[in-house]
Amino acid sequence: MYDYLVVGAGLYGAVFAHEAKKAGKSVLVIDKRPNIAGNVYTEETEGINVHKYGAHIFHTNNKEVWNYVNKFAEFNRFTNSPVANYKGELYSLPFNMYTFNKMWGVVTPEEAAEKIAEQRKEITGEPKNLEEQAISLVGRDIYEKLIKGYTEKQWGRDCKDLPSFIIKRLPVRLTFDNNYFNALYQGIPVGGYTQMVANMLEGIEVRLDTDYLKNKAELDAIAEKVIYTGPIDAYFDFKLGTLEYRSVRFENELLDIPNFQGNAAVNYTDRETPWTRIIEHKWFEFGKDKNGNDLPKTVISREFSSEWKPGDEPYYPVNDEKNGALYAEYKKLAETEQNIIFGGRLGEYKYYDMDAVIASALELTKKELQ
Ligand code: UDP
């Protein structure tokens, strides 16, 4: 009998499992995929750590979390500065003086602020949705060229039907600062995320290719308590209805050239290009292999966003009102279940960043393992 069965070997599950073992508990971690590390999984190809389920750039303001992850990996000095490609015009992201200069020819912060102030006049009152929030932050020109197409591709919904908090993730700055994140600490784990998660799970029994929901009775019988990090609606066999998720499909290519786009991330912000962005993985580690040599080839991933359907991997919860209300119902149901805790992006139906997921798992360990 295990003290804990952890369902899902992603960050939430790995952090909990690590802490539980440290506290002297017996733990079994299972995952239905053939690999650990959930969506942060990386796999080496030609010396390049490829982010198989999409780009993950670790960033946080939480010192406890930063110190925590540094116990399991060394982090490099990567700083995310994506480039937006709108029909061949390139703009710096996030929205900053480089972006404003390219868009409007403005040179000083004062001129940029004036331009934004003029364009935001069309929004009166509190922004009600993502479109209004975006225009109120950066004006209509930037909304039309850098936000609308990308957002509608990523979410498959009109910007008027999306919650405004999504766009508040992006900084707006009147300085020449291309750092995408407002975070004190940022980097990519040297050697890849898979190695970092493997270090968290060291000494812990892990069974891959093991589907909890398909073998629930059997698996429940071998543990006192379950930490479940899968989709909450799937746990309840969708009995109140299905929560909506966005899924992502990647087309990966190994190219026999050293440099495809000169940056880790290029976002295609027009509506017509079918992919949302192209990731060139080698730039997360400055184009070098583990011995510091320049890599001769490159791996790129085109990212296509789609509505989740059964059989796909869920990536993003669609945190609009309708889904929020349904999740609240599932959460009530979850509270009536015995000996199970729901956690992580899918278990809590929340657009968590990696650091927030780790903070949330650590929070749980403090309550659960004392
Ligand atoms: N976004 C945008 N244009 C961009 C990049 C981002 O409008 O070029 C908006 C878009 O609404 C998106 C949100 O910012 O859904 C968050 O994007 P981010 O790339 O941070 O999301 P991730 O996929 O990395 O979680």
Side-chain angles (χ1 to χ4, degrees), residues 293-314:
N293 300 315
D294 287 329
L295 289 155
K297 296 185 186 174
T298 195
V299 176
I300 61 163
S301 303
R302 286 188 174 78
E303 195 168 318
F304 300 83
S305 186
S306 61
E307 197 66 14
W308 176 85
K309 52 181 183 352
D312 296 343
E313 290 293 347

Side-chain angles (χ1 to χ4, degrees), residues 143-311:
Y143 169 67
E144 298 279 353
K145 284 191 168 179
L146 304 183
I147 298 175
K148 191 175 193 304
Y150 184 91
T151 302
E152 295 189 352
K153 284 191 286 187
Q154 178 168 2
W155 295 97
R157 284 158 179 76
D158 197 284
C159 287
K160 290 193 189 73
D161 299 326
L162 287 164
S164 47
F165 82 87
I166 294 176
I167 199 69
K168 287 200 205 142
R169 289 166 58 83
L170 271 65
V172 178
R173 301 193 187 106
L174 293 172
T175 56
F176 291 92
D177 180 357
N178 287 330
N179 184 350
Y180 194 66
F181 299 116
N182 278 324
L184 265 176
Y185 311 105
Q186 182 170 180
I188 300 280
V190 175
Y193 284 93
T194 306
Q195 189 55 51
M196 178 178 94
V197 175
N199 292 342
M200 289 174 174
L201 293 173
E202 203 184 303
I204 295 169
E205 187 181 344
V206 179
R207 291 187 205 159
L208 298 174
D209 296 303
T210 303
D211 190 325
Y212 172 69
L213 296 176
K214 285 198 181 126
N215 304 283
K216 188 168 180 305
E218 227 173 283
L219 288 161
D220 283 344
I222 59 171
E224 301 283 353
K225 204 159 183 181
V226 174
I227 308 294
Y228 176 82
T229 72
I232 188 167
D233 55 343
Y235 178 88
F236 291 105
D237 203 18
F238 307 101
K239 71 176 168 196
L240 304 177
T242 47
L243 289 165
E244 292 172 305
Y245 300 88
R246 294 297 286 172
S247 190
V248 188
R249 180 173 63 80
F250 299 96
E251 281 181 10
N252 301 325
E253 264 186 87
L254 170 65
L255 303 174
D256 203 2
I257 53 169
N259 191 354
F260 173 76
Q261 63 184 18
N263 203 34
V266 176
N267 294 355
Y268 286 76
T269 57
D270 67 294
R271 194 69 188 81
E272 293 72 32
T273 306
W275 53 84
T276 51
R277 54 189 166 196
I278 300 183
I279 300 301
E280 187 170 12
H281 301 267
K282 69 191 300 184
W283 301 123
F284 289 128
E285 300 181 71
F286 314 108
K288 309 274 187 198
D289 69 11
K290 42 169 115 50
N291 302 315
N293 300 315
D294 287 329
L295 289 155
K297 296 185 186 174
T298 195
V299 176
I300 61 163
S301 303
R302 286 188 174 78
E303 195 168 318
F304 300 83
S305 186
S306 61
E307 197 66 14
W308 176 85
K309 52 181 183 352

